Amino acid sequence: MDILNAIILLLNYIFIPALTYGSQLALGAIFVTLIYGILRFANFATGDMMSFGTMMTILFTWYFQSLGISLGVLPTALLAIPFAVICMIFYMLFIDKFVFKYYRFNKSPPVMLAMVSIGVMFVTQAVVRIIIGPDDRRFFDGERFLIKAGEFKEMTGLNEGLALKSTQVMTILITVVLVSILFWFLNKTKTGKSMKAYSDNEDLALLSGIDPKRIVMITWIIAGILATIGGVLYGLDKSFKPFTYFNNMLPIFAAAIVGGIGNPFGAFLGGYVIAFSEIFLTYAYKKFFMYVLPASMEPESLVQLLSTDYKFAVSFSILVIVLLYRPSGIFKGKVL
């Protein structure tokens, strides 16, 4: 029984949260790698663009709730996402037309575009704070838990309870479906193959008759979908606070670089690598060892490698190690 309790403990506090968090990071990392692979610059506004998309979802959610419209056991935010995605796409295309297009037309170096994206980051962050404010916003409604810890204990007779939130299941399922559709689109459709060709060799793609304006527009559309859905899933699972999304930029970039910048599949797996690393290294294992070790060997300390305050330090350390020893990432070779 103690072994089962130990397994349930790890599932409850490490594996399920890491899968959920990793799915959210994965969508942001694919956003980063898509922009880098096709538009050829590091977009440091990623976190705040996710924040903008989430803000629009919250505003539409509040509007639907004021009309008495809901999805019952499911969050009303799921109904608001399509409208928020449209707003996010318009915002991104607006930013591209009046900001990034100028530097792209003048063949500016990638570092200049990266610096411009920092300006876009601060502007987007200011817009979000002006519209919705800097405070914590909880916009979840519907059924909160699919399984409650107390109910699980009663059913199994174990000391440890397993709590499974509906947001965790939604996050994992939506991420898998969305990423599967994206990979199918990039690998099987004519447009997806054109995007790959444009990424591999822009001049050759132009000679082949590929329209660069169309490729850029589709890239921003896909990025808008990823940013909005990734941001909303994070907000539903935790809460919405603009500065939190800014902080998430580090683990998102770490995930993209660990997986191999320019490689969507690598970015997808990189999200889980970062999430599991952060949670594994900051979890206190005292209770786990109390289950698996004899009473005479039970630890007195928390058995915690790092405090949760250093969670982002884990991402930064992994990022530095990868850049030093394997700068091409886990999956070497650009596939976009």
Side-chain angles (χ1 to χ4, degrees), residues 93-280:
L93 293 177
F94 175 83
I95 292 294
D96 181 70
K97 181 177 178 62
F98 292 100
V99 181
F100 294 122
K101 183 179 178 181
Y102 171 81
Y103 296 94
R104 191 167 58 248
F105 180 79
N106 288 286
K107 303 292 183 181
S108 299
V111 66
M112 185 174 290
L113 281 161
M115 294 301 102
V116 170
S117 74
I118 293 177
V120 172
M121 175 188 74
F122 286 119
V123 170
T124 304
Q125 190 177 116
V127 169
V128 172
R129 294 189 181 200
I130 289 169
I131 293 175
I132 203 169
D135 299 328
D136 196 356
R137 305 285 185 179
R138 295 186 180 275
F139 60 108
F140 182 88
D141 56 359
E143 191 68 31
R144 186 65 177 172
F145 288 93
L146 297 179
I147 302 174
K148 293 183 179 180
E151 294 173 352
F152 185 85
K153 288 180 182 179
E154 290 179 6
M155 288 189 300
T156 60
L158 297 172
N159 294 330
E160 291 295 325
L162 179 65
L164 186 62
K165 295 190 291 185
S166 57
T167 52
Q168 294 172 325
V169 175
M170 282 190 300
T171 296
I172 295 168
L173 291 179
I174 291 173
T175 299
V176 170
V177 171
L178 184 61
V179 170
S180 299
I181 293 172
L182 176 62
F183 289 164
W184 171 84
F185 173 81
L186 291 174
N187 294 304
K188 300 297 182 181
T189 66
K190 184 178 179 180
T191 302
K193 292 176 181 178
S194 297
M195 293 171 70
K196 282 189 171 186
Y198 181 83
S199 173
D200 290 336
N201 191 318
E202 183 179 349
D203 295 329
L204 186 60
L206 294 175
L207 291 174
S208 303
I210 294 174
D211 183 3
K213 293 181 180 178
R214 184 168 176 268
I215 296 299
V216 170
M217 182 184 71
I218 292 171
T219 301
W220 283 117
I221 288 173
I222 296 173
I225 295 170
L226 291 171
T228 304
I229 295 178
V232 170
L233 291 176
Y234 183 87
L236 285 173
D237 186 50
K238 298 169 179 65
S239 65
F240 174 79
K241 195 171 185 179
F243 194 70
T244 303
Y245 285 77
F246 171 77
N247 287 338
N248 283 342
M249 185 178 69
L250 176 59
I252 286 172
F253 265 82
I257 292 171
V258 164
I261 191 76
N263 189 321
F265 184 70
F268 174 70
L269 293 184
Y272 294 102
V273 171
I274 296 299
F276 274 92
S277 299
E278 285 187 4
I279 293 177
F280 265 119

